[in-house]
Amino acid sequence: MQSAKRPKKVGTWEAVGGLVAHFRRKAGYTQERFAEIANLHVDTIRSIEQGRLALQDYRAVEFDELLGTGGALFALVDKLPVRERMPAFAQGLVDIEQVAVSILSYQTQMIPGLLQTEDYCRASFESRFPRFEDETAEQWVSSRMERQKIWQRKQPPFGHFILEESILRTALGGPEVMREQIRKLRADCDLVHMGIQIMPMGQVPHAGLAGPMLLLETPAHEHVVYLEVQRASFLIDDPDEVSVYQLKYGMLRSQALSPHESACLLDRLLGE
């Protein structure tokens, strides 16, 4: 007796891509011809239709106009939750991040995504190796900017960030991009729901030598830790393990410059 085949699980962007392909064929276009009139490479059209590349909002509007779909593609894409716009390995984080009541972050290499300017964010993806396709990089930039809308909630989460001073002295994207990023950080220092502390270079002892960490608290007052290394990530919810990271973070706060001293350092970097 032959066992029934397990149905294939179709991802969100595969479903969206399938709809794009359906509308394209209905309009009488081959992939090559549609790529031509959309002013895109045919590989981009193939990637979208196969679900390997997300259909961005602005692109959905363009496709709706070219295919005469009455806004159907934009209506679909616009309703997708933020997590669906993220790479799979980060979706667990985004689910919690969107409802978190507190977010504590220690970073060693870059400004955390929730505080980045768009230009700094774009520069960070342009520095990735292997390089992304341009479309993919823009997709991730858009997704990261979307994540920052948590600060616009009626009751925004409490955010506390500890940044290594070396991050501020690395002109990612060039001097002007970095200057605008530091100016944004300085403005964030004055927000009542935000705290920023800088870990001075050469600080010893140092409780964060093992790397960056992100601690989140849910509305149910559950605590989780998010760790990310290269292309892998981990969500930790075991109370004993979470407690260790909370102790580490508490020690980092005591070792970093005070919020006032950190704001003064940012002022000095800005020459103000």
Side-chain angles (χ1 to χ4, degrees), residues 40-61:
L40 293 171
H41 194 282
V42 67
D43 286 342
T44 298
I45 298 298
R46 289 172 181 151
S47 293
I48 291 173
E49 292 189 356
Q50 292 168 13
R52 293 186 287 110
L53 184 63
L55 180 64
Q56 295 299 300
D57 290 358
Y58 73 95
R59 186 80 69 203
V61 172

Side-chain angles (χ1 to χ4, degrees), residues 20 71 101 120 172 179 209 214 232 247:
V20 171
V101 297
Y120 183 95
L172 183 61
R179 184 175 179 81
L209 297 180
L214 188 63
L247 291 173

Side-chain angles (χ1 to χ4, degrees), residues 157-168:
F158 168 70
H160 187 274
F161 300 85
I162 302 173
L163 312 178
E164 289 290 335
E165 182 181 347
S166 57
I167 296 174
L168 306 174

Side-chain angles (χ1 to χ4, degrees), residues 25 42 59 62 84 100 111 113 133-134 137 148 158 167 176 212 216 227 229 246 249 255 258:
R25 288 191 291 267
V42 67
R59 186 80 69 203
E62 294 175 359
E84 294 294 352
I111 304 296
E133 295 178 9
D134 289 343
Q148 293 185 9
F158 168 70
I167 296 174
E176 287 306 312
L216 305 102
L227 304 177
V229 291
Q246 290 174 327
Y249 197 88
Q255 294 169 341
S258 71

